[in-house]
Amino acid sequence: MSTITTVYQGDLRTQATHNASGSRIISEAPIDNHGKGEAFSPTDLLAASLGSCILTVAGIAAQTHRFSIEGARIETQKVMAENPRRVGELILDIYLPPNHYSDRERRIIEAAAATCPVGQSLNTNLKKTIRFHY
């Protein structure tokens, strides 16, 4: 179990602290929702969380199967929806470093992306578009 303490700092800004490590994340309301846009918004963190989870699980799978994805990156676009205001779609472009991945390694990477815990925790109404670039 992991505990995170989040404190409202005023002016539509929060600070979340990972209690075990002391690491901190600042979030703020976005410009289109009364904020200054000077930090990640809570929905930006949701998008970033999915990308981080995919790369972490893919990294574990690659390590287990003795190949590397070091240098892989994800560019995530967040598309907001209305009524109610929510994240409607996350578009993730996953860029793998040149490594001549075998078909088996590609299947391992893609299965890891499909089964990461964050993705499995999101509402099924949230559209996730995932594109792999090898």
Side-chain angles (χ1 to χ4, degrees):
M1 180 169 64
S2 180
T3 302
I4 299 162
T5 301
T6 305
V7 177
Y8 181 70
Q9 297 183 317
D11 206 21
L12 307 179
R13 182 176 279 240
T14 67
Q15 178 178 280
T17 303
H18 181 260
N19 292 1
S21 69
S23 294
R24 295 182 178 149
I25 297 173
I26 299 293
S27 71
E28 184 175 292
I31 291 172
D32 68 346
N33 199 20
H34 310 285
K36 297 176 188 173
E38 295 175 348
F40 282 95
S41 73
T43 55
D44 291 340
L45 292 173
L46 174 85
S49 179
L50 179 58
S52 293
C53 185
I54 287 171
L55 287 179
T56 300
V57 173
I60 292 167
Q63 195 174 59
T64 299
H65 295 279
R66 296 184 177 16
F67 67 95
S68 176
I69 64 163
E70 187 172 336
R73 75 179 197 281
I74 297 180
E75 294 179 8
T76 304
Q77 296 176 50
K78 176 188 74 174
V79 180
M80 295 300 291
E82 300 295 329
N83 299 319
R85 183 173 169 82
R86 68 196 180 286
V87 178
E89 181 179 9
L90 293 172
I91 303 166
L92 297 97
D93 283 290
I94 303 174
Y95 295 91
L96 283 299
N99 198 15
H100 305 291
Y101 297 100
S102 68
D103 289 341
R104 177 179 170 270
E105 290 168 340
R106 288 179 184 217
R107 284 193 306 274
I108 290 167
I109 292 166
E110 292 172 18
T115 60
C116 91
V118 171
Q120 296 298 310
S121 299
L122 296 172
N123 190 303
T124 56
N125 293 334
L126 172 59
K127 183 177 179 185
K128 295 178 293 249
T129 302
I130 301 174
R131 300 181 291 227
F132 294 89
H133 306 272
Y134 290 97

